């Protein structure tokens, strides 16, 4: 194909402009500062600290403007200069730019005024925020020459990796704990990857995967590609800032599993300030965990600066990481921003799922129920000011964790295909509703 024809049929593969040149410069150890080339590396050879992507912020401030971002694709790739890929044609399956919803009915119910829901329950293609990190990781995996991709997953990551690998034509083998929800397993198998259901918890799955990564030369999105993968979560910070009209909120509430997402929302906000896209603001960061797996919340409560691993036992399986890799960084962010980290029990999580559904029409999974329940707890404890512009991050979809709400929601009224049968059922339903209502009064 000639050059001219090529750029006609693929308008996005034109010559390199400053916006599409590489803006990241390599990897740096978060602990000792040692620098490395941008390869498939994730731990420092000197101190075993985690590696993070470095950017050239002076180039970034020259190439990014609000206008250019607004004119970009309706996906995470509108922020491409802030993401660690060099490709002009990243894997774009429509990930990102999910709704930021003003949640007035939920706010009123809780007793606050300015509440927003960032709704990644409808993220593309697999209905969780993990599509963001995987879109970035698999684009980088291709650039680094990997042909097989893999992950250690609590469920959503396996869905995402399998789906986006299918789209990109990459071989895929994912590892999950054997006891995951049916929807999460089915939502992986449909893309025909190899699925290893490990008889153990996530932390054991993760340990096994670290060994496989060393021997098989695969690209593990959350292990040897972790520095690139985790950067994808910054887009949850970028989008909220853009959707609020290029300003930062006062307070955010987000779920914590490894703690990575939490830290990257923080990094995303700070980068927007650094390059002059938004004004500086002291945003408070509050984290949500399930009581049955709350090592970070426990450390926060006890004033510790280290996280003691726990054995998970909760219905919130997607955030059940007993030994969180970025736990200490999450603790530090919550403390220095005057935020909080709270835990709620499984009953409160289910109530959180129902509350969000009934007030806002959003059906979230257990992780989202955890976030809403913690939001409620923080408001009740006076730890969120009613006037603060607060954003709650909903990270996954309720259709994947139907087990959690089975038996605690109503049932359909079965009727004959006759008008009088319908009328009788409607009367019965109204009477029940009235009784319900009277009960809430006493
Ligand atoms: C993975 C996951 C999280 C948290 O991810 P971390 O970055 O590991 O803290 C939150 N919510 C859902 C639904 C997830 O799948
Ligand atoms: Zn180091």
């Amino acid at each position: 194909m000639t050059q001219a024809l090529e750029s006609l049929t693929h308008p996005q593969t034109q010559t390199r402009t400053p916006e599409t040149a590489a803006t990241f410069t390599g990897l740096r150890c978060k602990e000792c500062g040692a620098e490395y080339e941008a390869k498939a590396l994730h731990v420092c050879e000197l101190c075993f600290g985690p590696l993070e992507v470095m950017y050239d912020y002076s180039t970034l401030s020259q190439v990014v403007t609000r206008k250019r971002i607004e004119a970009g694709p309706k996906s995470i790739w509108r922020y491409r200069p802030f993401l660690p890929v060099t490709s002009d044609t990243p894997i774009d399956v429509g990930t990102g730019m999910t709704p930021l919803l003003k949640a007035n009915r939920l706010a009123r119910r809780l007793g606050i005024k300015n509440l927003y829901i960032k709704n990644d329950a409808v993220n593309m293609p697999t209905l969780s925020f993990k599509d963001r990190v995987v879109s970035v990781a698999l684009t980088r995996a291709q650039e680094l020459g990997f042909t097989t991709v893999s992950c250690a997953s609590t469920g959503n990551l396996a869905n995402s990796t399998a789906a986006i690998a299918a789209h990109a034509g990459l071989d895929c083998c994912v590892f999950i704990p054997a006891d995951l929800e049916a929807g999460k397993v089915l939502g992986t198998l449909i893309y025909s990857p190899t699925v290893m259901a490990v008889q153990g918890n996530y932390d054991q799955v993760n340990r096994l995967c670290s060994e496989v990564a060393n021997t098989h030369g695969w690209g593990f999105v959350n292990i040897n590609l972790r520095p690139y993968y985790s950067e994808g979560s910054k887009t949850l910070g970028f989008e909220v800032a853009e959707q609020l009209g290029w300003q930062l909120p006062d307070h955010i509430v987000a779920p914590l599993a490894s703690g990575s997402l939490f830290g990257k929302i923080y990094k995303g906000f700070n980068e927007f300030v650094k390059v002059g896209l938004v004004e500086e603001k002291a945003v408070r960061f509050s984290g949500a965990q399930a009581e049955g797996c709350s090592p970070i919340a426990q450390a926060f409560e006890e004033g510790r600066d280290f996280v003691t691993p726990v054995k998970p036992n909760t219905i919130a399986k997607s955030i059940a990481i007993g030994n969180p890799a970025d736990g200490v960084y999450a603790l530090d962010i919550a403390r220095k921003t005057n935020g909080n980290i709270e835990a709620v029990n499984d009953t409160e999580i289910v109530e959180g799922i129902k509350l969000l559904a009934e007030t806002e029409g959003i059906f979230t999974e257990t992780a989202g129920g955890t976030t809403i329940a913690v939001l409620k707890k923080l408001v009740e404890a006076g730890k969120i000011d009613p006037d603060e512009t607060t954003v709650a991050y909903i990270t996954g979809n309720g259709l994947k964790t139907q087990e959690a709400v089975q038996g605690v929601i109503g049932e359909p009224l079965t009727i004959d295909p006759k008008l009088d049968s319908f009328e009788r059922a409607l009367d019965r339903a109204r009477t029940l509703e009235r009784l319900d209502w009277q009960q809430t009064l006493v």
Side-chain angles (χ1 to χ4, degrees):
M1 206 185 284
T2 66
Q3 191 76 47
L5 191 55
E6 173 111 58
S7 51
L8 262 183
T9 47
H10 302 282
Q12 69 274 47
T13 53
Q14 280 160 359
T15 47
R16 248 157 210 262
T17 59
E19 301 102 279
T20 56
T23 40
F24 68 107
T25 54
L27 302 174
R28 185 195 287 128
C29 173
K30 259 185 113 158
E31 292 299 323
C32 77
E35 294 186 3
Y36 297 86
E37 269 179 71
K39 293 196 198 142
L41 276 178
H42 69 297
V43 278
C44 178
E45 283 161 14
L46 305 174
C47 77
F48 301 107
L51 303 183
E52 194 169 38
V53 177
M54 293 184 289
Y55 296 84
D56 173 359
Y57 288 107
S58 69
T59 303
L60 262 176
S61 12
Q62 282 159 22
V63 300
V64 297
T65 63
R66 291 179 182 179
K67 246 204 193 123
R68 276 205 192 138
I69 291 172
E70 284 163 356
K74 291 243 173 309
S75 72
I76 57 167
W77 297 112
R78 67 209 276 108
Y79 311 108
R80 204 204 68 58
F82 294 93
L83 297 172
V85 305
T86 54
S87 172
D88 295 332
T89 52
I91 303 169
D92 191 347
V93 285
T95 301
M97 287 311 276
T98 53
L100 180 72
L101 199 81
K102 184 87 201 287
N104 289 332
R105 299 192 70 245
L106 177 58
R108 217 173 305 133
R109 188 80 85 85
L110 297 175
I112 57 178
K113 291 183 196 135
N114 299 306
L115 176 64
Y116 291 84
I117 299 292
K118 179 60 173 166
N119 187 10
D120 263 16
V122 293
N123 200 15
M124 287 290 126
T126 68
L127 310 178
S128 88
F129 103 90
K130 291 295 197 305
D131 294 325
R132 298 173 183 275
V133 281
V134 172
S135 290
V136 174
L138 296 198
T139 298
R140 189 65 188 145
Q142 285 185 319
E143 290 175 357
L144 293 170
F146 289 102
T147 53
T148 300
V149 291
S150 187
C151 65
S153 174
T154 56
N156 284 315
L157 186 56
N159 295 170
S160 242
T161 303
I164 302 177
H167 178 84
L170 291 159
D171 288 329
C172 180
C173 175
V174 298
F175 295 74
I176 54 174
D179 71 346
L180 282 193
E181 301 93 339
K184 295 260 167 88
V185 179
L186 183 146
T188 299
L189 286 170
I190 191 65
Y191 307 106
S192 290
T194 304
V195 180
M196 298 288 172
V198 182
Q199 290 185 309
N201 62 35
Y202 172 79
D203 300 283
Q204 294 169 305
V205 174
N206 195 39
R207 215 165 308 132
L208 169 64
C209 286
S210 298
E211 292 176 45
V212 179
N214 286 333
T215 53
H216 276 260
W218 294 350
F220 277 78
V221 299
N222 58 340
I223 301 177
N224 51 357
L225 296 170
R226 190 171 180 86
Y228 309 103
Y229 154 95
S230 58
E231 288 288 288
S233 293
K234 291 191 306 190
T235 59
L236 268 175
F238 298 153
E239 286 177 21
V240 162
E242 184 181 346
Q243 289 169 321
L244 285 174
W246 298 103
Q247 55 182 342
L248 301 181
D250 296 314
H251 204 147
I252 70 106
V253 183
L256 303 170
S258 71
S260 170
L261 157 71
F262 195 71
K264 294 296 174 166
I265 296 171
Y266 182 79
K267 187 179 180 189
F269 286 167
N270 284 327
E271 285 184 339
F272 263 22
V273 171
K274 204 178 294 193
V275 302
L277 285 170
V278 298
E279 251 175 64
E280 188 158 14
K281 192 181 208 184
V283 185
R284 299 173 68 198
F285 276 67
S286 290
Q289 293 211 290
E291 249 171 46
C293 184
S294 52
I296 312 176
Q298 282 169 23
F300 185 88
E301 195 190 340
E302 291 163 22
R304 285 188 267 120
D305 57 6
F306 60 93
V307 174
T308 309
V310 301
K311 227 175 163 185
N313 179 21
T314 169
I315 57 166
K317 295 176 198 276
S318 58
I319 50 170
I321 297 185
N323 188 10
D326 294 298
V328 290
Y329 301 117
L331 268 180
D332 180 51
I333 290 169
R335 288 201 179 111
K336 73 185 176 202
T337 63
N338 194 25
N340 288 281
I341 298 177
E342 283 284 355
V344 286
N345 66 36
D346 287 358
T347 308
E348 293 171 298
I349 291 170
V350 172
E351 278 164 12
I353 294 174
K354 289 180 71 183
L355 180 61
L356 182 64
E358 289 165 10
T359 55
E360 297 297 338
I362 294 172
F363 184 17
T364 186
E365 66 148 85
T366 46
T370 306
T371 303
I372 296 300
V374 164
L375 170 72
K376 181 167 180 270
K377 198 167 175 181
L378 291 173
V379 172
E380 284 167 359
K383 291 173 177 171
I384 288 179
D385 191 289
D387 290 315
E388 281 182 315
T389 298
T390 301
V391 176
Y393 283 89
I394 295 304
T395 47
N397 193 297
L399 289 171
K400 295 193 199 181
T401 61
Q402 295 181 34
E403 296 88 339
V405 292
Q406 234 124 49
V408 297
I409 47 181
E411 275 176 34
L413 302 173
T414 306
I415 59 172
D416 295 327
K418 296 206 178 93
L419 190 58
D420 69 323
S421 176
F422 158 72
E423 295 292 358
R424 263 182 285 129
L426 188 63
D427 272 350
R428 233 178 13 248
R430 290 204 168 133
T431 313
L432 285 176
E433 228 170 72
R434 260 195 307 278
L435 285 177
D436 243 21
W437 177 239
Q438 277 162 5
Q439 245 154 26
T440 61
L441 293 180
V442 292

